């Protein structure tokens, strides 16, 4: 029976450690690190995410600057807010909550955020720096995955890691980070021919697909570590991951639950990125 990797507890530990850094920074500079948050439209889920991030900032002693725009805001309106945050010396990180309404070019908006304030790590500059092994802002969810692996004491060098999913926000950066720790990395996706066989070879499985319980417990190599990034809603409204949790736990050495695994780490890493940005580009 695999050990449960407790993301909730680890996220709290990270946030506690961060608070001490925030206090030291604030005392030295006379003002706290700041995160600019931009929400376009009225999507209820996005509003909840933004509220949680702002609450987490407050608890950590980080200032948050809220910018709400209506669903019919123009691209120029969003650009103007990003530009203002880019120029604001009190703002060290900028977060554009995704998804934005369809008439707005989200890629162009992410590129408009100053690479020096790219708290989410989605700017092409951040992705490029990560790809060449000189990371600055690392996307929050895969960054959290690496912290969980490290805290669980998982040996990474030489391990065969299989990442299922190739998105820019989770799969690709997770693969880059595992590679940077000398894992042998396989990236699987929707066109992978024999997913079961690929997963069965993995010492570490990172699942980031978005299909409920699609990775079967019987595919997991005995003793493998399973990190489930997926957050899916079953028909009965309950949450589940991309991995068949109970069956996978029978075989895994370590496994993250959903909820309470990777999810809580994402917000903790956003706070960490904001503070790291302040320390990097607004050094005392
Ligand atoms: P995405 O839709 O952008 O990417 C999904 C990936 O899965 C794609 O690369 C696709 O090729 C791959 N895929 C689709 N069908 C497949 C199949 N049958 N076999 C193998 N691969 C397949 O999704 P995303 O943004 O990367 O998110 C993935 C999951 O992670 C979602 O459930 C999302 O809710 C969750 N997520 C969680 C957090 C968190 O904080 N824990 C953060 C971001 C995303």
């Amino acid at each position: 029976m695999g050990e449960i990797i407790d993301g909730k507890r680890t996220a709290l530990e990270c946030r506690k450690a961060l608070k001490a850094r925030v206090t030291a920074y604030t005392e030295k500079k006379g003002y706290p690190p700041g995160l600019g948050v931009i929400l376009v439209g009225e999507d209820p889920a996005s509003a909840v995410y933004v509220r949680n991030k702002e609450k987490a900032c407050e608890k950590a002693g980080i200032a948050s600057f809220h910018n709400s725009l209506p669903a019919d805001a123009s691209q120029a309106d969003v650009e103007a807010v990003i530009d203002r945050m880019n120029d604001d010396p009190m703002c060290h990180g900028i977060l554009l909550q995704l998804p934005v309404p369809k008439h707005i070019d989200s890629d162009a908006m992410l590129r408009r955020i100053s690479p020096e304030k790219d708290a989410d790590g989605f700017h092409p500059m951040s992705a490029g720096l990560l790809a060449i092994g000189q990371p600055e802002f690392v996307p929050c969810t895969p960054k959290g995955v690496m912290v969980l692996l490290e805290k669980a004491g998982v040996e990474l060098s030489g391990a065969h890691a299989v990442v299922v999913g190739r998105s820019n926000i989770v799969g690709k950066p997770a693969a880059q980070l595992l590679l940077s720790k000398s894992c042998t990395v396989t990236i699987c996706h929707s066109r992978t021919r024999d997913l079961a066989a690929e997963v069965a070879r993995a010492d570490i499985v990172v699942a980031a697909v978005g299909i409920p319980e699609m990775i079967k417990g019987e595919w997991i190599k005995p003793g493998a570590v399973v990190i489930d990034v997926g957050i899916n809603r079953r028909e009965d409204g309950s949450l589940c991951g991309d991995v068949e949790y109970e069956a996978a736990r029978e075989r895994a050495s370590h496994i993250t639950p959903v909820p309470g695994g990777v999810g809580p780490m994402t917000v903790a890493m956003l706070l960490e990125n904001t503070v790291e940005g302040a320390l990097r580009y607004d050094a005392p």
Side-chain angles (χ1 to χ4, degrees):
M1 197 67 132
E3 212 175 289
I4 295 173
I5 299 179
D6 186 343
K8 215 169 156 182
R9 198 185 63 205
T10 306
L12 278 175
E13 287 167 9
C14 290
R15 285 166 64 166
K16 213 169 140 193
L18 190 69
K19 196 163 181 176
R21 292 170 79 190
V22 170
T23 306
Y25 177 93
T26 308
E27 277 172 8
K28 208 163 195 170
K29 303 285 290 188
Y31 53 84
L35 177 70
V37 180
I38 306 168
L39 176 65
V40 189
E42 282 95 37
D43 177 53
S46 293
V48 171
Y49 291 143
V50 160
R51 212 173 311 125
N52 286 341
K53 290 168 187 176
E54 289 172 341
K55 264 196 221 148
C57 280
E58 194 185 325
K59 275 194 187 153
I62 297 171
S64 66
F65 308 109
H66 182 90
N67 299 274
S68 268
L69 289 141
D72 61 357
S74 68
Q75 181 133 327
D77 294 335
V78 182
E79 283 170 1
V81 174
I82 294 175
D83 291 350
R84 190 158 47 73
M85 299 275 104
N86 281 341
D87 291 339
D88 184 346
M90 292 297 113
C91 172
H92 306 98
I94 301 173
L95 163 96
L96 174 64
Q97 183 65 43
L98 299 176
V100 288
K102 283 200 173 62
H103 65 278
I104 293 182
D105 179 348
S106 60
D107 288 337
M109 294 305 95
L110 293 176
R111 280 198 299 273
R112 196 156 183 117
I113 292 171
S114 162
E116 297 186 358
K117 299 190 177 189
D118 184 29
D120 255 338
F122 296 159
H123 192 284
M125 175 77 98
S126 302
L129 287 169
L130 177 60
I132 61 169
Q134 296 166 21
E136 289 200 354
F137 292 101
V138 172
C140 304
T141 301
K143 183 173 178 160
V145 167
M146 298 308 286
V147 173
L148 290 178
L149 288 170
E150 193 190 313
K151 295 248 171 177
V154 177
E155 175 68 44
L156 296 177
S157 180
H160 186 179
V162 172
V163 179
V164 191
R166 57 174 160 182
S167 71
N168 288 334
I169 64 168
V170 189
K172 272 187 226 162
Q176 298 280 7
L177 288 165
L178 290 159
L179 183 62
S180 75
K181 294 291 176 191
S182 301
C183 290
T184 300
V185 182
T186 301
I187 305 174
C188 299
H189 45 78
S190 50
R191 305 288 175 89
T192 295
R193 283 210 189 104
D194 189 350
L195 185 63
E198 299 296 345
V199 170
R201 275 194 285 276
D203 301 311
I204 300 166
V205 181
V206 177
V209 183
I211 303 179
E213 298 168 326
M214 63 100 61
I215 294 179
K216 304 299 168 204
E218 67 199 31
W219 298 355
I220 304 298
K221 182 163 86 175
V225 177
V226 178
I227 307 287
D228 192 349
V229 179
I231 303 177
N232 311 295
R233 215 166 265 287
R234 293 193 190 91
E235 275 180 13
D236 67 4
S238 62
L239 289 181
C240 69
D242 291 344
V243 179
E244 219 181 28
Y245 179 75
E246 293 300 339
R249 195 177 164 209
E250 295 285 333
R251 298 167 72 95
S253 69
H254 297 78
I255 187 165
T256 59
V258 177
V262 176
M265 293 301 292
T266 299
V267 175
M269 296 301 109
L270 171 70
L271 303 180
E272 230 177 83
N273 279 351
T274 304
V275 175
E276 284 170 6
L279 290 169
R280 197 181 297 121
Y281 290 108
D282 188 22

